[in-house]
Amino acid sequence: MSEALPAVSRPRGWRQALRDAVRSPAELAALLDLPPAVVARAAAPDFPLLVPRSFVARMRKGDPDDPLLRQVLPTAAESERTPGYVPDPVGEHGIGAGGVLKKYRHRALLIATAACPVHCRYCFRRAFPYSSQLASRADFGPAVAALARLDDVREVILSGGDPLSLDNARLERLVARLEALPSVRTVRIHTRFPVMLPERVDAGLLALLRRTRFAKVVVLHCNHPNELDDSVAEAAAALRQTGAILLNQSVLLRGVNDDADALARLSERLFQAGVLPYYLHLLDPVQGAAHFDVPAERGRELVAELRARLPGYLVPRLVREDAGRLSKTLVA
């Protein structure tokens, strides 16, 4: 994968590509030459399928166990009720004000939007109360006011949903309002867009990132090496040229990346694209995702094997999130 020009050009805009995303299990099965039984297992109407066609193009045809497909295809297992798997696995639903969650010292998380470019089946916010916790109301006025009352906040974390679901004009207004807060030094963006729809990294977004006074961190969410193609590498290169630091966090998922070969290849491909592995998350126990769980002990074994195979800077930290704690819990 090679370095790219500062802006990533595509034949279609990202919004059109998102409108054209696959929303039907039957269509997804047809595109991938999957047997009808795969569609028959699809379920979860309360959290419907959504996946961009460019991501589908990276899946293996005819393979119902493809690791990219497993992340996005609804299954009947999501309707099973498993003890300990709850709608609010990390204790977020009642702690926000105006779409601002203050979970960690000197940092605040802003729920910028409910929209995403993909519906990941393990999403820990699939039942999040966006109707009452959304920062984009009134052009972000209540959210910025809430942040202004937290005068110890040095970093604002843009989350969602996916904050890059906002168009460039709205993002620019949000960043401008955040820049008026003197204590804030860093903006961190957690996003699946550069992996799911690399065309989102367009000239307007890049110009916005270059202009801001903030130190910039962009955290990609990539779980498997097959997610990374040349278009993703080009988007990452363009983001780096704005001065942003690029990190990646993955979720450890059964049947997706719970083997050392896949995780090692992921770290190596990320590094080739100029992205450093950051976190490998144990699954948040959200209702409907128990079939993805990988035990913590297996996670420790995998990280130990990665340490034996890779330089230390390519080994992500194995963590979990515990409700009420002031930081991630380091597992390995």
Side-chain angles (χ1 to χ4, degrees):
M1 290 180 281
S2 59
E3 286 291 307
L5 296 173
V8 179
S9 60
R10 299 279 180 255
R12 299 181 303 153
W14 67 272
R15 280 172 287 194
Q16 184 60 51
L18 190 53
R19 285 191 289 269
D20 291 342
V22 177
R23 290 173 167 80
S24 160
E27 182 182 9
L28 182 58
L31 289 169
L32 295 173
D33 297 331
L34 296 173
V38 172
V39 179
R41 293 198 300 267
D46 59 324
F47 191 52
L49 170 73
L50 174 67
V51 57
R53 292 175 188 274
S54 61
F55 193 71
V56 175
R58 298 171 227 164
M59 299 176 187
R60 295 190 295 258
K61 286 195 171 186
D63 183 1
D65 294 319
D66 176 81
L68 278 57
L69 176 66
R70 284 180 60 84
Q71 296 179 56
V72 302
L73 182 67
T75 68
E78 295 179 38
S79 62
E80 298 174 2
R81 294 294 178 262
T82 303
Y85 284 76
V86 296
D88 182 17
V90 297
E92 290 184 337
H93 291 194
I95 66 171
V100 175
L101 306 182
K102 185 67 165 65
K103 299 164 66 173
Y104 309 127
R105 187 173 298 167
H106 302 311
R107 287 159 285 168
L109 188 145
L110 192 149
I111 302 294
T113 174
C116 260
V118 62
H119 287 171
C120 300
R121 308 319 305 175
Y122 52 87
C123 178
F124 73 99
R125 289 201 183 116
R126 59 189 293 170
F128 188 79
Y130 289 106
S131 59
S132 61
Q133 289 287 354
L134 201 58
S136 56
R137 284 195 186 86
D139 205 26
F140 299 100
V144 174
L147 285 169
R149 292 191 291 271
L150 301 170
D151 58 6
D152 70 323
V153 172
R154 299 172 189 166
E155 180 179 42
V156 173
I157 303 166
L158 304 185
S159 187
D162 192 308
L164 295 189
S165 297
L166 300 172
D167 64 28
N168 293 332
R170 296 190 78 196
L171 271 175
E172 187 150 23
R173 290 197 299 272
L174 170 59
V175 170
R177 300 190 76 159
L178 295 176
E179 285 180 328
L181 302 176
S183 70
V184 179
R185 305 170 188 171
T186 302
V187 64
R188 189 195 322 173
I189 300 172
H190 280 249
T191 178
R192 272 286 242 170
F193 261 102
V195 173
M196 288 289 157
L197 277 176
E199 51 265 61
R200 177 64 188 93
V201 182
D202 59 14
L205 176 63
L206 296 171
L208 186 163
L209 292 174
R210 281 192 292 266
R211 283 193 302 267
T212 181
R213 70 167 175 85
F214 290 131
K216 304 169 290 285
V217 180
V218 178
V219 182
L220 308 185
H221 293 206
C222 182
N223 297 317
H224 192 276
N226 292 358
E227 298 178 37
L228 296 165
D229 65 4
D230 285 342
S231 68
V232 179
E234 291 171 5
L239 287 167
R240 286 201 315 277
Q241 290 178 30
T242 69
I245 295 171
L246 269 58
L247 306 174
N248 182 70
Q249 66 178 33
S250 305
V251 181
L252 185 58
L253 301 167
R254 186 196 306 174
V256 173
N257 58 9
D258 55 335
D259 70 89
D261 286 341
L263 291 172
R265 285 190 293 118
L266 174 60
S267 284
E268 290 166 344
R269 288 195 184 181
L270 286 166
F271 185 63
Q272 290 168 8
V275 183
L276 280 178
Y278 175 41
Y279 280 150
L280 177 62
H281 274 272
L282 294 177
L283 180 74
D284 292 318
V286 64
Q287 186 173 289
H291 55 294
F292 284 115
D293 184 56
V294 178
E297 187 52 43
R298 175 58 179 157
R300 292 188 187 96
E301 293 170 357
L302 289 167
V303 169
E305 188 164 349
L306 291 180
R307 289 198 179 105
R309 294 170 59 164
L310 298 172
Y313 56 82
L314 292 187
V315 180
R317 288 173 285 176
L318 182 68
V319 298
R320 70 170 182 265
E321 178 137 358
D322 295 317
R325 287 184 64 97
L326 296 178
S327 67
K328 308 286 192 211
T329 299
L330 185 63
V331 179

